[in-house]
Amino acid sequence: MIALSLAEIAEILDGELRPAGADSAQTVVRGPVDTDSREMTPGAIFVAKPGEVTDGHLFVDAAVAAGAVLAIVERPVETEVSQIVVADAVQALADLARAVVARVRAAGRLRIVGITGSNGKTTTKNFLARILADEGETVAPIRSYNNEVGAPLTMLRVTERTRYLVCEFGAAGQGGIAHLAGLVEPDAAVVLMVGLAHAGGFGSIESTARAKSELLQVARPGGTAVLNIDDPRVWAMRAVAEDRGLAVVGFGQGEGAVVRAEDVVVTASGTSCTVVHADERFPLQLQVLGAHHIGNALAAIAAAGVLGVPASVAAARLETVEIAERWRMQPMGNERVRIINDAYNASPDSMAAALRTLAQITGPGERTVAVLGAMTELGEYAGEEHDRIGLLAVRLNIRRIVVVGPEARRLYLAVVGEGSWDSEAVHLPDQDAAFEYLRGELRDGDRVLVKSSNSVGLRHLGDRLGELFS
């Protein structure tokens, strides 16, 4: 974080400053900000956020022992460091993030990119951060820090030297993206796709589209909207962008895209295409598996172009990215048994894309194996979407379908109903049972996809299988 006095922070947060020890209102702090006492380092600022399971106020002492020099709290606590008492710790995070980013932006060259979409946010964020890192100091979220806590924590990592801030915005309901993105008003607003991920929180895909369009409504006037021309709901958002005074850049495989892909090829060693930009045509060879990641790459190239990075330069940098993120199409195992651990998240769109990738990368004499868990947060769509994925798995001729957990039973029934039975499909109660089954079932030449929503936890099963066949 940038250097601020205790008095300045208290004023920004409309909080009550309680100095301790040798501190005064003029004492300056500039350490990192976090809500996790385990992440504290010398000079850090600890935000004691109440949670559903525990309360951050219980960990102030642990934070101080680890090096924290300031605690932001909702009630006074007994501690040896200064504290600022605020009405709402989460709101305090947002207020501090807004103020810090505004100061850095006013003082220097800071450019900000915001990314949203039902799928692909984290991969696109990582792609773009890789491109921009060679241009100057770049701050981007760790993992999927895209909610009301994670997004401000990312923003608070900017310093006077930061040139680029890449933000990822998710939301559990209407108004969430507008609130988070409104803290920084991105110069470039990237919308990837509108799908059924988290549909249970929005009620319908139309409501999801309205939520994603909030990013454009709070983007910096005079900035740029980077929109997926292949998704009709996203491309329709150009009207929102124009109302905001944004230029529009389309990406995708459709005609009219400013950054376009042709000749997409998916193999076990990666994904390739030809990128077309203006009068240029150049190859892109991603190490990351899956045709769906071409769209994420095009979005990153287009966003980087808004910031002045030539498309061919951006593409060359993307070719150095080995994996999108841990547990996202992550290759594991060995040449005999290859594991693709893609179980950090799952929606109907990402599940279908992963299954298609599995089918595409499996050659003659090799066997496809899909280990599938439930897709969560789909609300009323859950049943029919699990049915659809089960049907797709059979129609893609996936040779072994292993369904894990009671929440995914509907998927298994759809597989059986489509004609896959005997040893072709099994339903197992939990990860341990699945691991024991797969340990005896997998053989040389198997190509194995592990896919589920994060809360189901099959990523850990994928890790175990990767280690078993390493």
Side-chain angles (χ1 to χ4, degrees), residues 326-393:
R326 187 183 181 192
W327 298 318
R328 286 178 167 86
M329 299 302 288
Q330 181 180 1
M332 307 178 78
N334 54 39
E335 286 300 312
R336 295 183 300 105
V337 178
R338 292 179 180 171
I339 312 294
I340 303 172
N341 193 349
D342 192 35
Y344 188 82
N345 263 325
S347 68
D349 294 306
S350 69
M351 186 79 86
L355 285 168
R356 291 191 181 100
T357 299
L358 176 65
Q360 289 169 327
I361 68 171
T362 303
E366 298 174 343
R367 184 175 66 157
T368 49
V369 180
V371 183
L372 307 176
M375 301 175 289
T376 59
E377 300 183 57
L378 293 178
E380 64 181 283
Y381 301 99
E384 63 188 77
E385 291 303 321
H386 281 89
D387 288 348
R388 188 170 70 86
I389 293 302
L391 297 180
L392 177 64

Short mmCIF file of all heavy atoms in Angstrom, two decimals, residues 326-393:
data_model
loop_
_atom_site.label_atom_id
_atom_site.label_comp_id
_atom_site.label_asym_id
_atom_site.label_seq_id
_atom_site.Cartn_x
_atom_site.Cartn_y
_atom_site.Cartn_z
N ARG A 326 -3.58 -22.97 -11.03
CA ARG A 326 -3.67 -24.28 -10.40
C ARG A 326 -5.13 -24.74 -10.37
O ARG A 326 -6.04 -23.95 -10.09
CB ARG A 326 -3.12 -24.21 -8.98
CG ARG A 326 -3.03 -25.58 -8.32
CD ARG A 326 -2.54 -25.49 -6.90
NE ARG A 326 -2.45 -26.82 -6.29
CZ ARG A 326 -2.27 -27.05 -5.00
NH1 ARG A 326 -2.15 -26.04 -4.16
NH2 ARG A 326 -2.21 -28.29 -4.54
N TRP A 327 -5.33 -26.01 -10.72
CA TRP A 327 -6.64 -26.65 -10.75
C TRP A 327 -7.52 -26.15 -11.89
O TRP A 327 -8.72 -26.40 -11.91
CB TRP A 327 -7.38 -26.48 -9.42
CG TRP A 327 -6.68 -27.10 -8.25
CD1 TRP A 327 -6.06 -28.30 -8.19
CD2 TRP A 327 -6.53 -26.52 -6.94
NE1 TRP A 327 -5.52 -28.52 -6.94
CE2 TRP A 327 -5.80 -27.44 -6.15
CE3 TRP A 327 -6.94 -25.33 -6.37
CZ2 TRP A 327 -5.48 -27.19 -4.83
CZ3 TRP A 327 -6.62 -25.07 -5.04
CH2 TRP A 327 -5.89 -26.00 -4.29
N ARG A 328 -6.94 -25.48 -12.87
CA ARG A 328 -7.69 -25.08 -14.06
C ARG A 328 -7.00 -25.70 -15.27
O ARG A 328 -5.96 -25.23 -15.70
CB ARG A 328 -7.77 -23.56 -14.18
CG ARG A 328 -8.75 -22.93 -13.17
CD ARG A 328 -8.72 -21.42 -13.32
NE ARG A 328 -9.84 -20.79 -12.62
CZ ARG A 328 -9.83 -20.45 -11.35
NH1 ARG A 328 -8.76 -20.66 -10.61
NH2 ARG A 328 -10.87 -19.86 -10.78
N MET A 329 -7.57 -26.75 -15.79
CA MET A 329 -6.99 -27.50 -16.91
C MET A 329 -5.52 -27.78 -16.65
O MET A 329 -4.67 -27.67 -17.54
CB MET A 329 -7.19 -26.75 -18.22
CG MET A 329 -8.63 -26.53 -18.60
SD MET A 329 -9.62 -28.06 -18.74
CE MET A 329 -8.98 -28.76 -20.25
N GLN A 330 -5.21 -28.16 -15.42
CA GLN A 330 -3.82 -28.38 -15.02
C GLN A 330 -3.37 -29.79 -15.39
O GLN A 330 -3.90 -30.77 -14.86
CB GLN A 330 -3.66 -28.16 -13.51
CG GLN A 330 -2.24 -28.36 -13.01
CD GLN A 330 -2.11 -28.13 -11.51
OE1 GLN A 330 -3.09 -27.85 -10.82
NE2 GLN A 330 -0.90 -28.27 -11.00
N PRO A 331 -2.37 -29.92 -16.27
CA PRO A 331 -1.89 -31.26 -16.63
C PRO A 331 -1.11 -31.88 -15.47
O PRO A 331 -0.27 -31.23 -14.85
CB PRO A 331 -0.97 -31.00 -17.83
CG PRO A 331 -1.25 -29.59 -18.26
CD PRO A 331 -1.71 -28.88 -17.03
N MET A 332 -1.38 -33.13 -15.19
CA MET A 332 -0.69 -33.86 -14.13
C MET A 332 -0.46 -35.30 -14.62
O MET A 332 -0.78 -35.64 -15.75
CB MET A 332 -1.52 -33.83 -12.83
CG MET A 332 -1.93 -32.44 -12.38
SD MET A 332 -2.95 -32.42 -10.90
CE MET A 332 -1.71 -32.68 -9.66
N GLY A 333 0.08 -36.12 -13.75
CA GLY A 333 0.32 -37.50 -14.12
C GLY A 333 1.57 -37.64 -14.97
O GLY A 333 2.51 -36.86 -14.86
N ASN A 334 1.56 -38.65 -15.86
CA ASN A 334 2.73 -38.92 -16.70
C ASN A 334 2.27 -39.27 -18.11
O ASN A 334 1.09 -39.14 -18.44
CB ASN A 334 3.56 -40.06 -16.09
CG ASN A 334 2.73 -41.31 -15.84
OD1 ASN A 334 1.87 -41.67 -16.64
ND2 ASN A 334 3.00 -41.99 -14.72
N GLU A 335 3.20 -39.70 -18.94
CA GLU A 335 2.86 -40.02 -20.32
C GLU A 335 1.91 -41.22 -20.42
O GLU A 335 1.15 -41.35 -21.36
CB GLU A 335 4.13 -40.29 -21.13
CG GLU A 335 4.93 -39.04 -21.46
CD GLU A 335 4.14 -38.05 -22.28
OE1 GLU A 335 3.51 -38.47 -23.28
OE2 GLU A 335 4.10 -36.86 -21.91
N ARG A 336 1.98 -42.10 -19.43
CA ARG A 336 1.13 -43.29 -19.47
C ARG A 336 -0.31 -42.96 -19.09
O ARG A 336 -1.25 -43.35 -19.77
CB ARG A 336 1.69 -44.37 -18.53
CG ARG A 336 3.06 -44.90 -18.95
CD ARG A 336 3.52 -46.01 -18.03
NE ARG A 336 3.64 -45.58 -16.65
CZ ARG A 336 2.80 -45.87 -15.66
NH1 ARG A 336 1.75 -46.63 -15.89
NH2 ARG A 336 3.02 -45.44 -14.43
N VAL A 337 -0.46 -42.25 -17.98
CA VAL A 337 -1.79 -41.84 -17.51
C VAL A 337 -1.76 -40.33 -17.28
O VAL A 337 -1.09 -39.86 -16.36
CB VAL A 337 -2.19 -42.56 -16.21
CG1 VAL A 337 -3.56 -42.07 -15.73
CG2 VAL A 337 -2.21 -44.07 -16.43
N ARG A 338 -2.44 -39.60 -18.13
CA ARG A 338 -2.45 -38.15 -18.01
C ARG A 338 -3.71 -37.71 -17.27
O ARG A 338 -4.82 -38.13 -17.59
CB ARG A 338 -2.41 -37.49 -19.39
CG ARG A 338 -1.07 -37.69 -20.10
CD ARG A 338 -1.08 -37.03 -21.46
NE ARG A 338 0.18 -37.21 -22.16
CZ ARG A 338 0.38 -36.89 -23.42
NH1 ARG A 338 -0.61 -36.37 -24.13
NH2 ARG A 338 1.56 -37.07 -23.98
N ILE A 339 -3.52 -36.83 -16.30
CA ILE A 339 -4.62 -36.28 -15.51
C ILE A 339 -4.78 -34.82 -15.87
O ILE A 339 -3.80 -34.07 -15.92
CB ILE A 339 -4.35 -36.41 -13.99
CG1 ILE A 339 -3.88 -37.83 -13.63
CG2 ILE A 339 -5.57 -35.99 -13.19
CD1 ILE A 339 -4.91 -38.90 -13.82
N ILE A 340 -6.01 -34.39 -16.11
CA ILE A 340 -6.31 -32.96 -16.27
C ILE A 340 -7.16 -32.55 -15.08
O ILE A 340 -8.33 -32.95 -14.96
CB ILE A 340 -7.07 -32.67 -17.56
CG1 ILE A 340 -6.29 -33.17 -18.77
CG2 ILE A 340 -7.34 -31.17 -17.70
CD1 ILE A 340 -7.07 -33.09 -20.06
N ASN A 341 -6.57 -31.80 -14.16
CA ASN A 341 -7.28 -31.38 -12.95
C ASN A 341 -7.91 -30.01 -13.20
O ASN A 341 -7.23 -28.98 -13.20
CB ASN A 341 -6.30 -31.32 -11.77
CG ASN A 341 -7.02 -31.21 -10.43
OD1 ASN A 341 -8.23 -30.98 -10.38
ND2 ASN A 341 -6.28 -31.37 -9.35
N ASP A 342 -9.21 -30.00 -13.42
CA ASP A 342 -9.94 -28.77 -13.74
C ASP A 342 -11.10 -28.58 -12.76
O ASP A 342 -12.19 -28.17 -13.14
CB ASP A 342 -10.46 -28.84 -15.18
CG ASP A 342 -10.97 -27.50 -15.69
OD1 ASP A 342 -10.40 -26.46 -15.31
OD2 ASP A 342 -11.95 -27.48 -16.45
N ALA A 343 -10.82 -28.88 -11.50
CA ALA A 343 -11.90 -28.93 -10.52
C ALA A 343 -11.91 -27.76 -9.55
O ALA A 343 -12.35 -27.89 -8.42
CB ALA A 343 -11.84 -30.25 -9.74
N TYR A 344 -11.40 -26.59 -10.00
CA TYR A 344 -11.52 -25.42 -9.12
C TYR A 344 -12.92 -24.84 -9.18
O TYR A 344 -13.46 -24.36 -8.20
CB TYR A 344 -10.49 -24.35 -9.51
CG TYR A 344 -10.46 -23.22 -8.50
CD1 TYR A 344 -9.73 -23.35 -7.33
CD2 TYR A 344 -11.19 -22.06 -8.71
CE1 TYR A 344 -9.72 -22.34 -6.39
CE2 TYR A 344 -11.19 -21.05 -7.77
CZ TYR A 344 -10.45 -21.18 -6.62
OH TYR A 344 -10.45 -20.18 -5.68
N ASN A 345 -13.52 -24.87 -10.35
CA ASN A 345 -14.88 -24.38 -10.53
C ASN A 345 -15.55 -25.17 -11.63
O ASN A 345 -14.89 -25.77 -12.47
CB ASN A 345 -14.89 -22.88 -10.88
CG ASN A 345 -15.12 -22.01 -9.66
OD1 ASN A 345 -15.86 -22.38 -8.76
ND2 ASN A 345 -14.47 -20.86 -9.63
N ALA A 346 -16.87 -25.13 -11.65
CA ALA A 346 -17.60 -25.80 -12.73
C ALA A 346 -18.94 -25.12 -12.94
O ALA A 346 -19.68 -24.88 -11.98
CB ALA A 346 -17.81 -27.28 -12.41
N SER A 347 -19.22 -24.81 -14.18
CA SER A 347 -20.53 -24.34 -14.61
C SER A 347 -20.91 -25.20 -15.80
O SER A 347 -20.07 -25.95 -16.33
CB SER A 347 -20.45 -22.87 -15.03
OG SER A 347 -19.68 -22.74 -16.21
N PRO A 348 -22.14 -25.13 -16.28
CA PRO A 348 -22.49 -25.92 -17.47
C PRO A 348 -21.57 -25.62 -18.66
O PRO A 348 -21.17 -26.53 -19.38
CB PRO A 348 -23.93 -25.50 -17.74
CG PRO A 348 -24.47 -25.17 -16.38
CD PRO A 348 -23.33 -24.51 -15.67
N ASP A 349 -21.20 -24.35 -18.85
CA ASP A 349 -20.35 -24.00 -19.99
C ASP A 349 -18.94 -24.54 -19.82
O ASP A 349 -18.36 -25.11 -20.76
CB ASP A 349 -20.30 -22.47 -20.15
CG ASP A 349 -21.64 -21.90 -20.55
OD1 ASP A 349 -22.22 -22.36 -21.54
OD2 ASP A 349 -22.14 -20.99 -19.86
N SER A 350 -18.37 -24.37 -18.63
CA SER A 350 -16.99 -24.83 -18.44
C SER A 350 -16.92 -26.35 -18.39
O SER A 350 -15.93 -26.95 -18.83
CB SER A 350 -16.39 -24.22 -17.17
OG SER A 350 -16.99 -24.74 -16.00
N MET A 351 -17.96 -27.00 -17.86
CA MET A 351 -17.99 -28.46 -17.84
C MET A 351 -18.04 -29.00 -19.28
O MET A 351 -17.29 -29.93 -19.63
CB MET A 351 -19.21 -28.94 -17.05
CG MET A 351 -19.29 -30.44 -16.84
SD MET A 351 -18.21 -31.06 -15.53
CE MET A 351 -19.25 -30.83 -14.07
N ALA A 352 -18.89 -28.41 -20.10
CA ALA A 352 -18.99 -28.85 -21.49
C ALA A 352 -17.67 -28.62 -22.23
O ALA A 352 -17.21 -29.47 -23.00
CB ALA A 352 -20.13 -28.12 -22.20
N ALA A 353 -17.04 -27.46 -22.00
CA ALA A 353 -15.77 -27.16 -22.67
C ALA A 353 -14.69 -28.15 -22.26
O ALA A 353 -13.89 -28.60 -23.10
CB ALA A 353 -15.35 -25.73 -22.34
N ALA A 354 -14.64 -28.50 -20.98
CA ALA A 354 -13.63 -29.44 -20.51
C ALA A 354 -13.84 -30.83 -21.09
O ALA A 354 -12.88 -31.51 -21.48
CB ALA A 354 -13.64 -29.49 -18.98
N LEU A 355 -15.10 -31.27 -21.17
CA LEU A 355 -15.38 -32.58 -21.76
C LEU A 355 -15.00 -32.61 -23.24
O LEU A 355 -14.43 -33.60 -23.73
CB LEU A 355 -16.86 -32.93 -21.58
CG LEU A 355 -17.29 -33.35 -20.18
CD1 LEU A 355 -18.81 -33.38 -20.07
CD2 LEU A 355 -16.70 -34.71 -19.81
N ARG A 356 -15.29 -31.54 -23.96
CA ARG A 356 -14.92 -31.49 -25.37
C ARG A 356 -13.40 -31.52 -25.53
O ARG A 356 -12.87 -32.16 -26.45
CB ARG A 356 -15.51 -30.24 -26.02
CG ARG A 356 -17.03 -30.29 -26.15
CD ARG A 356 -17.56 -29.17 -27.02
NE ARG A 356 -19.02 -29.22 -27.10
CZ ARG A 356 -19.84 -28.45 -26.38
NH1 ARG A 356 -19.34 -27.54 -25.54
NH2 ARG A 356 -21.15 -28.57 -26.50
N THR A 357 -12.71 -30.82 -24.64
CA THR A 357 -11.26 -30.84 -24.70
C THR A 357 -10.71 -32.24 -24.46
O THR A 357 -9.80 -32.70 -25.16
CB THR A 357 -10.67 -29.87 -23.66
OG1 THR A 357 -11.11 -28.54 -23.95
CG2 THR A 357 -9.15 -29.90 -23.67
N LEU A 358 -11.28 -32.94 -23.48
CA LEU A 358 -10.86 -34.31 -23.21
C LEU A 358 -11.01 -35.17 -24.46
O LEU A 358 -10.11 -35.94 -24.82
CB LEU A 358 -11.69 -34.89 -22.06
CG LEU A 358 -11.43 -36.37 -21.72
CD1 LEU A 358 -10.02 -36.57 -21.19
CD2 LEU A 358 -12.46 -36.87 -20.69
N ALA A 359 -12.15 -35.05 -25.14
CA ALA A 359 -12.37 -35.83 -26.35
C ALA A 359 -11.38 -35.45 -27.45
O ALA A 359 -10.89 -36.31 -28.19
CB ALA A 359 -13.81 -35.65 -26.83
N GLN A 360 -11.07 -34.16 -27.55
CA GLN A 360 -10.20 -33.68 -28.63
C GLN A 360 -8.74 -34.12 -28.46
O GLN A 360 -8.04 -34.34 -29.45
CB GLN A 360 -10.26 -32.15 -28.70
CG GLN A 360 -11.59 -31.62 -29.24
CD GLN A 360 -11.73 -30.13 -29.07
OE1 GLN A 360 -11.23 -29.56 -28.10
NE2 GLN A 360 -12.40 -29.48 -30.00
N ILE A 361 -8.29 -34.23 -27.21
CA ILE A 361 -6.86 -34.50 -27.00
C ILE A 361 -6.56 -36.00 -26.87
O ILE A 361 -5.41 -36.38 -26.69
CB ILE A 361 -6.32 -33.76 -25.76
CG1 ILE A 361 -6.92 -34.33 -24.48
CG2 ILE A 361 -6.55 -32.27 -25.87
CD1 ILE A 361 -6.27 -33.81 -23.21
N THR A 362 -7.58 -36.83 -26.94
CA THR A 362 -7.38 -38.27 -26.77
C THR A 362 -7.24 -38.93 -28.14
O THR A 362 -8.13 -38.83 -28.99
CB THR A 362 -8.54 -38.90 -25.99
OG1 THR A 362 -8.66 -38.23 -24.72
CG2 THR A 362 -8.30 -40.38 -25.74
N GLY A 363 -6.11 -39.57 -28.36
CA GLY A 363 -5.81 -40.14 -29.66
C GLY A 363 -6.21 -41.59 -29.79
O GLY A 363 -6.73 -42.21 -28.85
N PRO A 364 -5.95 -42.18 -30.95
CA PRO A 364 -6.25 -43.60 -31.18
C PRO A 364 -5.50 -44.47 -30.16
O PRO A 364 -4.33 -44.23 -29.86
CB PRO A 364 -5.72 -43.84 -32.60
CG PRO A 364 -5.72 -42.48 -33.23
CD PRO A 364 -5.39 -41.52 -32.14
N GLY A 365 -6.18 -45.47 -29.65
CA GLY A 365 -5.57 -46.37 -28.68
C GLY A 365 -5.56 -45.82 -27.27
O GLY A 365 -5.09 -46.50 -26.34
N GLU A 366 -6.07 -44.62 -27.08
CA GLU A 366 -6.17 -44.03 -25.74
C GLU A 366 -7.62 -44.02 -25.29
O GLU A 366 -8.54 -44.07 -26.11
CB GLU A 366 -5.59 -42.61 -25.75
CG GLU A 366 -4.11 -42.56 -26.13
CD GLU A 366 -3.58 -41.16 -26.26
OE1 GLU A 366 -4.39 -40.20 -26.38
OE2 GLU A 366 -2.34 -40.99 -26.27
N ARG A 367 -7.82 -43.94 -23.99
CA ARG A 367 -9.18 -44.02 -23.43
C ARG A 367 -9.53 -42.76 -22.66
O ARG A 367 -8.74 -42.26 -21.86
CB ARG A 367 -9.29 -45.24 -22.51
CG ARG A 367 -10.70 -45.46 -21.96
CD ARG A 367 -10.78 -46.74 -21.15
NE ARG A 367 -9.99 -46.69 -19.93
CZ ARG A 367 -10.21 -47.45 -18.85
NH1 ARG A 367 -11.19 -48.36 -18.87
NH2 ARG A 367 -9.43 -47.36 -17.79
N THR A 368 -10.70 -42.22 -22.90
CA THR A 368 -11.18 -41.05 -22.16
C THR A 368 -11.86 -41.49 -20.86
O THR A 368 -12.68 -42.41 -20.85
CB THR A 368 -12.18 -40.25 -22.99
OG1 THR A 368 -13.18 -41.14 -23.52
CG2 THR A 368 -11.50 -39.53 -24.14
N VAL A 369 -11.52 -40.81 -19.78
CA VAL A 369 -12.12 -41.06 -18.47
C VAL A 369 -12.52 -39.71 -17.88
O VAL A 369 -11.67 -38.82 -17.73
CB VAL A 369 -11.15 -41.77 -17.51
CG1 VAL A 369 -11.82 -42.02 -16.16
CG2 VAL A 369 -10.66 -43.08 -18.11
N ALA A 370 -13.78 -39.53 -17.55
CA ALA A 370 -14.26 -38.29 -16.94
C ALA A 370 -14.70 -38.57 -15.51
O ALA A 370 -15.56 -39.41 -15.27
CB ALA A 370 -15.42 -37.71 -17.74
N VAL A 371 -14.08 -37.86 -14.57
CA VAL A 371 -14.43 -37.96 -13.15
C VAL A 371 -15.16 -36.67 -12.80
O VAL A 371 -14.55 -35.59 -12.74
CB VAL A 371 -13.17 -38.13 -12.29
CG1 VAL A 371 -13.55 -38.32 -10.83
CG2 VAL A 371 -12.33 -39.31 -12.78
N LEU A 372 -16.46 -36.77 -12.58
CA LEU A 372 -17.30 -35.58 -12.51
C LEU A 372 -18.03 -35.47 -11.18
O LEU A 372 -18.58 -36.45 -10.67
CB LEU A 372 -18.34 -35.60 -13.65
CG LEU A 372 -17.77 -35.80 -15.07
CD1 LEU A 372 -18.91 -35.90 -16.07
CD2 LEU A 372 -16.82 -34.68 -15.43
N GLY A 373 -18.04 -34.27 -10.62
CA GLY A 373 -18.82 -33.96 -9.44
C GLY A 373 -19.88 -32.93 -9.76
O GLY A 373 -20.04 -32.51 -10.90
N ALA A 374 -20.57 -32.49 -8.74
CA ALA A 374 -21.71 -31.60 -8.94
C ALA A 374 -21.28 -30.20 -9.36
O ALA A 374 -20.19 -29.73 -9.05
CB ALA A 374 -22.53 -31.52 -7.65
N MET A 375 -22.19 -29.53 -10.08
CA MET A 375 -22.09 -28.11 -10.36
C MET A 375 -23.03 -27.41 -9.39
O MET A 375 -24.23 -27.70 -9.36
CB MET A 375 -22.51 -27.80 -11.80
CG MET A 375 -21.68 -28.52 -12.85
SD MET A 375 -22.30 -28.23 -14.54
CE MET A 375 -23.82 -29.21 -14.52
N THR A 376 -22.51 -26.50 -8.59
CA THR A 376 -23.32 -25.84 -7.56
C THR A 376 -23.79 -24.47 -8.03
O THR A 376 -23.39 -23.97 -9.07
CB THR A 376 -22.52 -25.71 -6.27
OG1 THR A 376 -21.34 -24.93 -6.51
CG2 THR A 376 -22.11 -27.08 -5.74
N GLU A 377 -24.65 -23.86 -7.25
CA GLU A 377 -25.15 -22.49 -7.44
C GLU A 377 -25.93 -22.33 -8.75
O GLU A 377 -25.93 -21.25 -9.35
CB GLU A 377 -24.00 -21.48 -7.39
CG GLU A 377 -23.25 -21.48 -6.07
CD GLU A 377 -22.16 -20.41 -6.05
OE1 GLU A 377 -22.48 -19.23 -6.24
OE2 GLU A 377 -21.00 -20.78 -5.85
N LEU A 378 -26.61 -23.38 -9.17
CA LEU A 378 -27.40 -23.29 -10.39
C LEU A 378 -28.89 -23.08 -10.13
O LEU A 378 -29.66 -22.89 -11.07
CB LEU A 378 -27.21 -24.56 -11.24
CG LEU A 378 -25.82 -24.75 -11.83
CD1 LEU A 378 -25.77 -26.06 -12.61
CD2 LEU A 378 -25.44 -23.60 -12.73
N GLY A 379 -29.30 -23.11 -8.87
CA GLY A 379 -30.69 -22.87 -8.53
C GLY A 379 -31.63 -23.82 -9.25
O GLY A 379 -31.40 -25.03 -9.31
N GLU A 380 -32.69 -23.26 -9.84
CA GLU A 380 -33.71 -24.08 -10.50
C GLU A 380 -33.20 -24.78 -11.75
O GLU A 380 -33.84 -25.70 -12.27
CB GLU A 380 -34.91 -23.20 -10.87
CG GLU A 380 -34.59 -22.12 -11.89
CD GLU A 380 -35.78 -21.25 -12.21
OE1 GLU A 380 -36.65 -21.72 -12.98
OE2 GLU A 380 -35.84 -20.13 -11.70
N TYR A 381 -32.04 -24.35 -12.26
CA TYR A 381 -31.49 -24.96 -13.46
C TYR A 381 -30.66 -26.21 -13.16
O TYR A 381 -30.19 -26.88 -14.10
CB TYR A 381 -30.60 -23.96 -14.21
CG TYR A 381 -31.31 -22.70 -14.62
CD1 TYR A 381 -31.19 -21.54 -13.86
CD2 TYR A 381 -32.11 -22.65 -15.76
CE1 TYR A 381 -31.84 -20.37 -14.24
CE2 TYR A 381 -32.75 -21.51 -16.15
CZ TYR A 381 -32.62 -20.36 -15.37
OH TYR A 381 -33.27 -19.20 -15.74
N ALA A 382 -30.42 -26.52 -11.89
CA ALA A 382 -29.47 -27.57 -11.53
C ALA A 382 -29.81 -28.92 -12.17
O ALA A 382 -28.95 -29.59 -12.75
CB ALA A 382 -29.39 -27.71 -10.01
N GLY A 383 -31.07 -29.35 -12.07
CA GLY A 383 -31.44 -30.66 -12.59
C GLY A 383 -31.22 -30.79 -14.07
O GLY A 383 -30.54 -31.71 -14.55
N GLU A 384 -31.78 -29.87 -14.84
CA GLU A 384 -31.68 -29.98 -16.30
C GLU A 384 -30.25 -29.81 -16.79
O GLU A 384 -29.85 -30.42 -17.79
CB GLU A 384 -32.60 -28.96 -16.97
CG GLU A 384 -32.26 -27.51 -16.70
CD GLU A 384 -33.32 -26.55 -17.22
OE1 GLU A 384 -34.38 -26.43 -16.57
OE2 GLU A 384 -33.07 -25.93 -18.27
N GLU A 385 -29.44 -28.99 -16.09
CA GLU A 385 -28.06 -28.80 -16.53
C GLU A 385 -27.19 -30.02 -16.23
O GLU A 385 -26.30 -30.36 -17.00
CB GLU A 385 -27.48 -27.54 -15.91
CG GLU A 385 -28.09 -26.25 -16.43
CD GLU A 385 -27.97 -26.12 -17.95
OE1 GLU A 385 -26.92 -26.50 -18.50
OE2 GLU A 385 -28.93 -25.64 -18.58
N HIS A 386 -27.45 -30.69 -15.11
CA HIS A 386 -26.73 -31.95 -14.85
C HIS A 386 -27.15 -33.01 -15.87
O HIS A 386 -26.32 -33.81 -16.32
CB HIS A 386 -26.98 -32.42 -13.41
CG HIS A 386 -26.15 -31.69 -12.41
ND1 HIS A 386 -26.57 -30.52 -11.80
CD2 HIS A 386 -24.91 -31.94 -11.91
CE1 HIS A 386 -25.62 -30.10 -10.98
NE2 HIS A 386 -24.61 -30.95 -11.02
N ASP A 387 -28.44 -33.01 -16.24
CA ASP A 387 -28.89 -33.92 -17.30
C ASP A 387 -28.12 -33.64 -18.60
O ASP A 387 -27.65 -34.57 -19.28
CB ASP A 387 -30.38 -33.72 -17.57
CG ASP A 387 -31.26 -34.28 -16.46
OD1 ASP A 387 -30.74 -35.01 -15.59
OD2 ASP A 387 -32.46 -33.96 -16.45
N ARG A 388 -28.01 -32.37 -18.95
CA ARG A 388 -27.38 -32.00 -20.22
C ARG A 388 -25.92 -32.42 -20.26
O ARG A 388 -25.44 -32.91 -21.29
CB ARG A 388 -27.50 -30.48 -20.42
CG ARG A 388 -27.05 -30.01 -21.79
CD ARG A 388 -27.43 -28.56 -22.01
NE ARG A 388 -26.66 -27.66 -21.17
CZ ARG A 388 -25.46 -27.18 -21.51
NH1 ARG A 388 -24.89 -27.53 -22.65
NH2 ARG A 388 -24.82 -26.35 -20.70
N ILE A 389 -25.22 -32.27 -19.14
CA ILE A 389 -23.81 -32.66 -19.11
C ILE A 389 -23.67 -34.17 -19.20
O ILE A 389 -22.77 -34.69 -19.87
CB ILE A 389 -23.13 -32.11 -17.85
CG1 ILE A 389 -23.08 -30.58 -17.91
CG2 ILE A 389 -21.74 -32.69 -17.68
CD1 ILE A 389 -22.36 -30.01 -19.12
N GLY A 390 -24.56 -34.90 -18.55
CA GLY A 390 -24.53 -36.36 -18.65
C GLY A 390 -24.73 -36.82 -20.09
O GLY A 390 -24.02 -37.71 -20.58
N LEU A 391 -25.71 -36.21 -20.78
CA LEU A 391 -25.95 -36.56 -22.18
C LEU A 391 -24.74 -36.23 -23.04
O LEU A 391 -24.35 -37.00 -23.93
CB LEU A 391 -27.18 -35.81 -22.70
CG LEU A 391 -28.51 -36.12 -22.02
CD1 LEU A 391 -29.62 -35.28 -22.65
CD2 LEU A 391 -28.86 -37.60 -22.08
N LEU A 392 -24.14 -35.07 -22.81
CA LEU A 392 -22.98 -34.67 -23.60
C LEU A 392 -21.82 -35.65 -23.42
O LEU A 392 -21.15 -36.02 -24.40
CB LEU A 392 -22.54 -33.26 -23.21
CG LEU A 392 -21.29 -32.73 -23.92
CD1 LEU A 392 -21.55 -32.60 -25.42
CD2 LEU A 392 -20.86 -31.40 -23.32
N ALA A 393 -21.58 -36.07 -22.19
CA ALA A 393 -20.48 -36.99 -21.92
C ALA A 393 -20.64 -38.28 -22.72
O ALA A 393 -19.68 -38.81 -23.29
CB ALA A 393 -20.38 -37.28 -20.43
#
